[in-house]
């Protein structure tokens, strides 16, 4: 069974509180999402393996550590997942970036895939899938299924806010994928929005309605 990691660092919680406030505008919302994504990235990549190499400092030679040859990819679920990419790229600037496009059918609340573009060697990479909201879990599960269909064998799901319903669905359908959240909220309302949540993340990132 996959693990749920709740990243409750005080600075993440502080920034998330500002994001939840309905008076926070798109500019600040985007900046805070970038900052939280960078902070969460430290935990998502905490167990990346290291190699030992020989280097020479200005003082002497030494054995030092560097990230091993294992490759990383960041795959946002369009469109809101794009808001988490920049922060992760600041942490891991050599990571490749793929994209998966899904939209939610407003009547059925089910995701529909309309775009998928991934690095050619996706089967050789640790993939971090990003989406600010883990609501029903439908988009996340479909995105993970699309990745696996194209050869991905090592993925992690990084979201800002989730609810038990979404977590349970991802763990049921993808028991090999760990989930990273900054907050686990109460439930979904009748429109399948997270409560208390922070509204529609995509609209708040890009200033749309």
């Amino acid at each position: 069974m996959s693990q749920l990691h709740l990243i409750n660092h005080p600075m993440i919680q502080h920034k998330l509180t500002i994001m939840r406030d309905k008076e926070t505008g798109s500019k600040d919302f985007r900046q805070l999402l970038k900052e939280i994504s960078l902070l969460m990235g430290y935990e998502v990549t905490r167990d990346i393996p290291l190699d030992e190499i020989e280097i020479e400092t200005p003082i002497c030679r030494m054995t030092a550590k560097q990230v091993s040859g294992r490759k990383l990819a960041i795959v946002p679920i369009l469109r809101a997942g794009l808001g988490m990419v920049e922060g992760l790229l600041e942490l891991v600037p050599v990571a490749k970036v793929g994209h998966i496009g899904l939209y939610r059918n407003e009547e059925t609340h089910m995701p529909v895939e309309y775009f998928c573009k991934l690095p050619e060697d996706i089967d050789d990479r640790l993939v971090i899938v990003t989406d600010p909201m883990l609501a029903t879990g439908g988009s996340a599960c479909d995105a993970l299924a699309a990745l696996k269909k194209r050869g991905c064998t090592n993925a992690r799901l990084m979201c800002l806010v989730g609810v038990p319903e979404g977590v349970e669905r991802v763990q049921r359908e993808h028991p090999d994928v760990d989930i990273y959240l900054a907050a686990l909220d109460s439930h979904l309302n009748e429109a399948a929005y997270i409560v208390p949540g922070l509204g529609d993340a995509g609209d708040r990132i890009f200033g749309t309605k």
Side-chain angles (χ1 to χ4, degrees), residues 102-105 108-113 136-143 169:
L102 299 162
Y103 69 87
R104 184 172 67 170
N105 184 298
T108 66
H109 305 304
M110 297 299 293
V112 179
E113 179 183 325
T136 66
S139 294
C141 285
D142 276 23
R169 179 170 176 181

Side-chain angles (χ1 to χ4, degrees), residues 156-186:
R156 297 174 184 183
L157 177 63
M158 180 176 131
C159 303
L160 192 63
V161 178
V163 289
E165 299 97 307
V167 170
E168 291 166 7
R169 179 170 176 181
V170 173
Q171 290 183 325
R172 183 175 64 252
E173 296 187 20
H174 298 280
D176 57 332
V177 177
D178 280 1
I179 303 166
Y180 295 79
L181 297 177
L184 184 65
D185 280 8
S186 173

